[in-house]
Amino acid sequence: QVQLVESGGGSVQAGGSLRLSCAASGYTRCMGWFRQAPGTEREWVGTRGTSGGISIYADSVKGRFTITQDDAKNTLYLQMTSLKPEDTAMYYCAAASSLLCGSSTTDFEYWGQGTQVTVSS
């Protein structure tokens, strides 16, 4: 069983930056970030293979968001820059024991509790 704990959310003005963290309690092969605004479905943000270190991103965040990891701390990060009001959402960290994970919520078995990001104009 893997436990994920997110942190780092908050309120920021448009154009600002935030870094989210996701501390994992166990070994995972793939991790990702999703977000969900009120009244909408959970949206994929990006995925990273924990062994190869390759990350892929949704078009809506490509060039603005970066996923990195600290193996020593078993922590995944989401660096968000040039934030826009439409980035406002609850952000969730997810993890999978399979290498075959991508952009679907069904690819991931483990989920964090979420951290709120609010971007004001």
Side-chain angles (χ1 to χ4, degrees):
Q1 188 76 8
V2 174
Q3 292 187 331
L4 305 173
V5 179
E6 301 104 331
S7 60
S11 297
V12 64
Q13 289 193 327
S17 300
L18 279 175
R19 189 180 77 160
L20 306 184
S21 300
C22 173
S25 65
Y27 175 73
T28 62
R29 295 192 173 193
C30 187
M31 295 184 75
W33 288 98
F34 289 76
R35 65 187 182 184
Q36 189 169 19
T40 69
E41 293 188 353
R42 195 162 293 190
E43 175 192 17
W44 174 66
V45 173
T47 297
R48 183 179 179 90
T50 57
S51 58
I54 296 174
S55 299
I56 55 174
Y57 303 93
D59 287 343
S60 59
V61 306
K62 200 174 294 182
R64 299 188 299 121
F65 291 11
T66 304
I67 298 174
T68 60
Q69 65 187 73
D70 184 328
D71 292 336
K73 296 181 179 179
N74 209 19
T75 298
L76 188 77
Y77 300 99
L78 179 66
Q79 179 68 50
M80 305 184 292
T81 63
S82 302
L83 282 162
K84 305 175 182 180
E86 51 263 43
D87 294 319
T88 295
M90 184 73 78
Y91 282 71
Y92 296 91
C93 175
S97 55
S98 170
L99 282 171
L100 300 177
C101 68
S103 60
S104 173
T105 56
T106 58
D107 292 339
F108 298 88
E109 303 128 87
Y110 308 105
W111 292 86
Q113 82 286 353
T115 185
Q116 178 68 37
V117 171
T118 302
V119 184
S120 58
S121 58

